[in-house]
Amino acid sequence: MDARSYNAALADLRAVRDQIKKARAALAKLEVDRDKRIAQVASYGKAKAERIAPAAGLSVADIVTLVPSLAPESLTEESTGVPAQAPAPAAHTPPKDAEPEPAAQPAAVAPVMRTAQPLAAPPAGAPAVTAAPDTPQALPSIPEGEAGNAWFAHTSGLASTRPNFTQQARSTVFLDTDTGVLVHRNQTHHLDLANRSAADILTAVFRTVPEGVERVYITAGDPWHRDADRHPYLRDAVAAWLNAPAPGWRTDTGRGRDRMAGHFVHARNPVGRYQRDNSDSHVEIRSVGEWFDLDGDSPHTVRDAFVLLWQALRRHWDDAVLMGSPSQTGRDLWTRTIPTRGQHAEGFPVLSEELRGLLHATAGQGRNELVTPPRVPEQLPQLVEYDRTFAYAKHTWKSPVGTPRRITAHTFAAWSEKEQIRALYGCGHWQVRVTVPDAWNHVGLLPAPAPGDRAWHYPAQPGTTFTTWAGGPELHAALTNPLQPWKIEILDGILWDDGKPLDDWAKKLKDTWTNLSAQAHYQGDAQQARAAHLASRAVRSILLYGIGSFAQRPRMVTGTTPRTMERDVPTDAEIIGFDNESITWQKPTGFARDPNAHPEWAAAIWSGARAALLTQRHRDDDTHAGALHTPPGSVVAFRTDALYLTQPQNWPHHHQPGDYLLKGRLTGPLPAPTTEEKLLTLRDAGRAALTATSGEA
């Protein structure tokens, strides 16, 4: 580009800028006009927010904010029951931990406030608690007296039991929508996918492979993003793609034991479920990204990875079947490890809905935290990334079982020191008041509800006091950490017996992962080595997302309604997109009667994983690893299973679950990242630099 074209481009850019300003001004006027019209419509005596919302293209909550008098009665009447949802974890993905050591300083467990009173539980059905920007969200508590004690029971008639049927495998094809290459069994086909709509894909696949294909894995192309530039958000583009007309097909409504029905709208890994008109033919269109990340791999390599995965799992489960997603596969394989004899032959009962709601609101997932200046230097000498290998597999050795017991502050205070230590070392979930030591100069140890949003943060300022919920592994780390014990006051708690409901399942998956990792390392054929590597990553996903599925988040249903029938949009649904033809909405439906809902297991594993990011012992090497074993000011970030540091560590790595693996190293000086985007940019550069260095070596 020369000077003339440069100046011309600047002039064009200014023109676009002015057009944007005009468009924004026009949009602002339209929004003001819309709000006035909403107020006018709301003056009608029988006006309802759920009718006005789809007409305005807003959610019911938006309408109620503009016209509070239209708030549904269900949001203004007080009742009792499940606690309202409180902060959700800041990020998705799971962590892990090493088996904690017995307390080295028993005196650190106390002090305990005998008179501490739990926070009041919010009424069931109440909207999520809101707070001022600088005020932390309030976490729910267990009600006092009999109301709270009633939570400590199992849901009647609901338990995880071993299945008495064999899963049926589904005919699967692998399709690259960029090139049109489709792999079915050992055959390769080249398809004309036209505009890459769902209808085009279904037509092309069934014209080529007519013998009952039931699952289409997209390996490349992300066709659901083809019109992303026409929508403000990726989810809108995905929803439009899934719900576009597909002549001869309709949205699947489920069948037999498979209760999965309707499309699943996800920004990057959606699921389209279709059923042929006047036929019992069902098919799913899914993304392989649910299982593992690809790097230009062909559909042939992806198919080989699935074959290797199935063969490896069959060594441990003779009835193993790969289902649509790793979470479905993980839970199905777990049910086939439920014992047929002994203590748990009758299955594992599901907690009361109240306790499940409490765990959902108070048991976060992975720790994701960026530490910024002045807590770290403005200029980092290095950025070194350590990632815990197959981390969650390290924390499945012990899980909660049996009927939970409530441990009040008074009960805990009455126990001996030895009983207190045993309880905190066991399988529990505790409401605590925490005080950061006055001389503390390292990272925070326990999660707390973050001010102003639905997230977690980790207070580290000396003298800070906060109330939160935490699992036993994290409390153990806070009380016995190598630097200085924190003050923990028990307010309330849930305590289970120790058990091993996941141990057999996890051991089989770890063995499968080890086998496939070895194949990837020693396989002479490059494509087969890559397929084995992808298969080993799929095993990780099976365990990772299998554990996540035990958490059983409240379900969210997504649907569409024609614009001409907007009055049929469900009450309290949130409008997430609309066009001239249809309205797309989503609506929470609460907890399903899921026999495999065990949030107590997921919570225990996540707590253990977060604790292991701080400190874990390597017995064979007689050493420790983790953030607390680094100098103050050297931890740049936590990201689920990963630590980002300013200097390398000599931590052991024996290719075992939970070991810290050096993943990236970038030499400075370089500016400390202040946003997640900047951190990820440096991370990618560090990984590339380490790969280049390793290749040269």
Side-chain angles (χ1 to χ4, degrees):
M1 175 178 286
D2 56 22
R4 178 178 297 178
S5 57
Y6 172 72
N7 291 327
L10 287 178
D12 293 340
L13 190 58
R14 294 187 192 101
V16 172
R17 176 200 63 193
D18 294 339
Q19 291 175 5
I20 291 174
K21 287 182 178 179
K22 291 179 182 179
R24 284 177 175 165
L27 177 61
K29 289 181 180 179
L30 287 172
E31 288 177 336
V32 170
D33 181 51
R34 177 200 63 194
D35 294 348
K36 289 181 179 178
R37 292 174 185 272
I38 289 172
Q40 182 180 9
V41 171
S43 65
Y44 174 57
K46 297 182 179 180
K48 293 185 177 181
E50 56 267 31
R51 288 290 309 281
I52 299 175
L58 297 174
S59 69
V60 172
D62 293 330
I63 300 299
V64 172
T65 300
L66 290 169
V67 189
S69 61
L70 293 180
E73 293 181 2
S74 62
L75 296 184
T76 57
E77 296 176 350
E78 289 193 355
S79 59
T80 58
V82 184
Q85 296 298 311
H92 267 279
T93 334
K96 333 35 181 153
D97 160 28
E99 178 177 348
E101 290 295 299
Q105 299 173 322
V109 175
V112 174
M113 289 188 63
R114 297 171 185 269
T115 58
Q117 296 297 318
L119 304 174
V129 179
T130 58
D134 58 349
T135 303
Q137 294 280 348
L139 295 179
S141 301
I142 304 170
E144 290 291 335
E146 291 302 316
N149 294 338
W151 291 16
F152 288 76
H154 291 117
T155 301
S156 177
L158 197 61
S160 305
T161 57
R162 193 182 185 103
N164 57 5
F165 64 92
T166 301
Q167 288 286 1
Q168 297 300 308
R170 297 197 178 181
S171 178
T172 302
V173 298
F174 301 87
L175 175 64
D176 182 331
T177 59
D178 278 337
T179 63
V181 172
L182 177 138
V183 174
H184 176 234
R185 297 178 181 168
N186 292 321
Q187 299 179 334
T188 302
H189 306 274
H190 294 270
L191 309 185
D192 179 0
L193 299 177
N195 294 319
R196 299 192 301 156
S197 67
D200 294 333
I201 291 173
L202 292 170
T203 299
V205 169
F206 280 85
R207 180 187 298 128
T208 306
V209 189
E211 62 171 87
V213 171
E214 296 178 278
R215 186 173 295 136
V216 179
Y217 275 124
I218 305 300
T219 64
D222 296 341
W224 36 79
H225 293 163
R226 63 177 187 150
D227 293 327
D229 57 342
R230 296 172 52 189
H231 298 271
Y233 302 104
L234 274 181
R235 279 179 56 90
D236 294 344
V238 171
W241 188 88
L242 290 171
N243 291 295
W249 296 86
R250 63 181 185 274
T251 303
D252 200 348
T253 56
R255 52 177 166 161
R257 297 179 185 274
D258 187 355
R259 293 174 298 171
M260 292 293 182
H263 304 314
F264 174 61
V265 180
H266 185 279
R268 304 200 177 277
N269 296 315
V271 181
R273 300 185 178 99
Y274 302 91
Q275 181 176 355
R276 193 187 292 274
D277 289 339
N278 304 315
S279 169
D280 195 38
S281 178
H282 303 254
V283 64
E284 293 179 332
I285 299 178
R286 310 187 72 112
S287 168
V288 165
E290 295 180 85
W291 292 85
F292 37 64
D293 293 329
L294 297 180
D295 185 17
D297 300 285
S298 71
H300 304 84
T301 303
V302 174
R303 179 188 177 274
D304 289 346
F306 275 84
V307 171
L308 288 174
L309 173 63
W310 175 76
Q311 291 172 341
L313 290 173
R314 281 274 172 151
R315 295 188 180 97
H316 297 287
W317 288 275
D318 57 11
D319 55 354
V321 169
L322 297 183
M323 302 181 71
S325 70
S327 61
Q328 290 173 286
T329 305
R331 288 220 299 187
D332 180 68
L333 293 176
W334 171 75
T335 61
R336 298 173 192 281
T337 65
I338 295 175
T340 56
R341 299 178 182 177
Q343 181 181 1
H344 299 294
E346 298 298 319
F348 295 92
V350 172
L351 295 177
S352 68
E353 187 167 332
E354 291 83 0
L355 279 189
R356 280 182 278 151
L358 180 74
L359 286 166
H360 167 63
T362 62
Q365 200 168 336
R367 178 170 181 169
N368 286 269
E369 179 186 19
L370 179 63
V371 183
T372 57
R375 294 175 60 193
V376 295
E378 293 278 358
Q379 293 291 316
L380 305 181
Q382 299 181 67
L383 184 66
V384 186
E385 178 190 7
Y386 286 95
D387 185 71
R388 296 187 66 227
T389 302
F390 201 17
Y392 280 9
K394 182 72 173 179
H395 307 289
T396 55
W397 63 277
K398 182 175 72 172
S399 302
V401 294
T403 303
R405 292 173 288 154
R406 182 177 190 177
I407 309 300
T408 63
H410 178 77
T411 299
F412 189 86
W415 282 350
S416 68
E417 193 173 87
K418 184 176 181 180
E419 289 173 318
Q420 291 179 349
I421 294 171
R422 184 183 302 116
L424 293 179
Y425 181 73
C427 293
H429 190 59
W430 303 90
Q431 186 182 35
V432 292
R433 184 176 293 118
V434 183
T435 301
V436 182
D438 290 337
W440 190 255
N441 67 345
H442 219 294
V443 297
L445 303 188
L446 293 172
D453 57 24
R454 294 173 58 82
W456 300 98
H457 69 155
Y458 294 79
Q461 183 68 29
T464 301
T465 296
F466 58 95
T467 299
T468 191
W469 286 83
E474 291 168 284
L475 294 183
H476 187 271
L479 292 167
T480 65
N481 72 80
L483 303 179
Q484 184 180 6
W486 282 32
K487 180 181 178 182
I488 308 293
E489 303 170 29
I490 301 297
L491 305 179
D492 212 341
I494 310 166
L495 188 62
W496 290 266
D497 293 334
D498 296 352
K500 294 182 176 293
L502 304 177
D503 196 43
D504 183 38
W505 173 71
K507 284 180 177 177
K508 290 178 176 179
L509 289 177
K510 283 186 280 189
D511 185 75
T512 303
W513 171 78
T514 300
N515 178 278
L516 289 168
S517 297
Q519 288 188 53
H521 184 72
Y522 294 110
Q523 172 63 250
D525 181 273
Q527 179 172 316
Q528 287 300 300
R530 177 63 179 170
H533 170 73
L534 294 177
S536 73
R537 300 298 293 172
V539 176
R540 175 187 177 275
S541 296
I542 288 173
L543 185 133
L544 183 76
Y545 297 119
I547 290 169
S549 70
F550 286 125
Q552 196 222 18
R553 304 299 188 190
R555 300 182 67 159
M556 187 72 72
V557 172
T558 303
T560 58
T561 300
R563 287 293 294 266
T564 56
M565 301 174 64
E566 63 184 41
R567 68 175 57 194
D568 293 335
V569 173
T571 303
D572 296 336
E574 178 186 1
I575 309 301
I576 60 174
F578 59 91
D579 55 28
N580 293 331
E581 303 296 328
S582 62
I583 300 168
T584 303
W585 48 265
Q586 66 179 14
K587 176 182 177 181
T589 60
F591 293 101
R593 280 187 59 86
D594 183 351
N596 295 321
H598 293 287
E600 68 276 21
W601 297 348
I605 292 169
W606 294 339
S607 177
R610 291 193 298 269
L613 283 175
L614 299 170
T615 177
Q616 71 172 18
R617 183 182 177 189
H618 292 265
R619 284 188 173 83
D620 294 343
D621 300 276
D622 191 25
T623 188
H624 290 76
L628 295 182
H629 302 279
T630 66
S634 63
V635 178
V636 177
F638 297 87
R639 190 168 173 79
T640 310
D641 308 331
L643 274 177
Y644 295 83
L645 308 172
T646 61
Q647 54 188 257
Q649 303 295 317
N650 188 28
W651 292 337
H653 186 270
H654 302 300
H655 303 280
Q656 295 299 311
D659 287 356
Y660 280 93
L661 172 67
L662 178 63
K663 289 286 291 291
R665 184 171 179 178
L666 194 61
T667 302
L670 41 95
T674 54
T675 65
E676 182 183 35
E677 182 180 3
K678 292 179 180 178
L679 172 67
L680 296 181
T681 299
L682 293 176
R683 179 201 66 180
D684 294 343
R687 290 181 177 179
L690 182 64
T691 300
T693 302
S694 301
E696 292 172 2

